[in-house]
Amino acid sequence: MAAIVRLGTCSFADEGLLKSWYPRGVSSAKARLGYYAERFDTVEVDSPFYHLPDPAVAGRWAQRTPPAFVFHVKAHRTMTHHEPAEQAPAFADFRASLEPLELSGKLRGILLQYHPRFVKSAEAKEELSRVRELLEPLVPLIEFRHRSWLEEDERGDTFSFLERNGLAYVSVDAPPTRASNVLPPVAAATHRVAYVRFHGRNVRTWNIKAEKSSRRFDWMYSAAELAEWVGELGRLASEADEVYGMFNNNRDDFAPRSAALLRGLLDEAGIAATGGIEPPPVNPALF
């Protein structure tokens, strides 16, 4: 039986969402997460990349969402070569900050988005081989940012390595460029969890140095662009037990709007999906 494609966004509290998506009056952290969870059943929380949350905050995320809601969390920058650190202590500190969320059973994947300087090498593979043990039973979601991992003559070896080591490859939709820090849009499942991140396709802003990430990921997807992924997501759903499609194009409300577009396309194709649609009214009108 094919997996359900679960759609979500890479944050529920980005500035763009606060200004352009949440209705007036949905202003507290509790209200925002509740509103989000009525429309999506999964989210990727990216703020821990910058600052580890207080465990009490992580616990409230679990308390404020339905029983079947699934969280994925982006690893702190000390874990992925964005800052120097010893591997094991960095992972331990991260897990301690999220312990209440993990104990709730709602934390599924940890996004490890490696720095572009993390080039494919024997040393890099050795470091990756230790990740599963440091995160079990959580799922390591591996997003590379250097093209060496997915050059055509390296691709097969990379996927085989990830599968042997219990690591889930993160497929990406990104700007169409040969820049070394952009990987081609190859959909692959190396784990029972398949994960796709949609970064937008703004070539012009991809490598700018911006104070706000929304300047880099300034892209509203078209239906034609997302249609390119319908067949690939359907294939992933036949190869993996869980499939997630997460939108990181965080300018204004582009992420949830893009997710809604993709949901419509998946529905038309007969591919089971969740997320991206408005819930029915609480008090439907009587006729």
Side-chain angles (χ1 to χ4, degrees), residues 167-195:
L167 307 173
Y169 175 71
V170 174
S171 307
V172 296
D173 185 274
T177 172
R178 287 287 301 177
S180 64
N181 66 343
V182 179
L183 273 66
V186 176
T190 63
H191 189 279
R192 60 186 299 264
V193 172
Y195 204 86

Side-chain angles (χ1 to χ4, degrees), residues 94-105:
F94 175 81
R95 290 191 74 171
S97 74
L98 295 168
E99 185 176 24
L101 182 61
E102 182 175 347
L103 291 176
S104 76

Side-chain angles (χ1 to χ4, degrees), residues 67-96:
F69 195 89
V70 175
F71 285 88
H72 309 283
V73 177
K74 188 173 183 179
H76 189 261
R77 50 191 167 191
T78 55
M79 300 161 65
T80 52
H81 284 261
H82 291 79
E83 288 182 1
E86 292 186 26
Q87 187 183 33
F91 275 67
D93 290 345
F94 175 81
R95 290 191 74 171

Side-chain angles (χ1 to χ4, degrees), residues 76-238:
H76 189 261
R77 50 191 167 191
T78 55
M79 300 161 65
T80 52
H81 284 261
H82 291 79
E83 288 182 1
E86 292 186 26
Q87 187 183 33
F91 275 67
D93 290 345
F94 175 81
R95 290 191 74 171
S97 74
L98 295 168
E99 185 176 24
L101 182 61
E102 182 175 347
L103 291 176
S104 76
K106 294 182 177 182
L107 179 57
R108 186 68 173 126
I110 304 303
L111 174 71
L112 293 136
Q113 186 189 64
Y114 282 91
H115 194 280
R117 64 172 167 262
F118 193 68
V119 178
K120 188 173 184 180
S121 65
E123 293 77 17
K125 290 169 77 173
E126 174 63 26
E127 178 170 334
L128 283 171
S129 71
R130 298 190 291 268
V131 166
R132 176 172 58 180
E133 183 178 0
L134 292 168
L135 286 179
E136 282 183 325
L138 305 175
V139 179
L141 307 168
I142 308 299
E143 182 177 359
F144 297 116
R145 279 293 180 93
H146 192 276
R147 206 175 185 93
S148 57
W149 293 92
L150 227 66
E151 295 290 3
E152 289 191 16
D153 57 347
E154 293 288 343
R155 193 172 298 172
D157 174 75
T158 294
F159 291 154
S160 295
F161 170 80
L162 294 175
E163 187 170 0
R164 288 195 309 271
N165 286 276
L167 307 173
Y169 175 71
V170 174
S171 307
V172 296
D173 185 274
T177 172
R178 287 287 301 177
S180 64
N181 66 343
V182 179
L183 273 66
V186 176
T190 63
H191 189 279
R192 60 186 299 264
V193 172
Y195 204 86
V196 183
R197 298 185 87 219
F198 293 87
H199 293 296
R201 301 184 180 184
N202 197 330
V203 176
R204 182 178 57 84
T205 61
W206 182 257
N207 281 319
I208 64 171
K209 292 185 177 180
E211 183 178 341
K212 297 179 180 179
S213 64
S214 57
R215 287 197 60 204
R216 292 188 60 219
F217 305 118
D218 179 3
W219 190 265
M220 177 60 204
Y221 279 97
S222 69
E225 290 166 340
L226 293 172
E228 299 169 14
W229 279 92
V230 171
E232 295 296 272
L233 287 167
R235 178 175 59 80
L236 291 176
S238 70

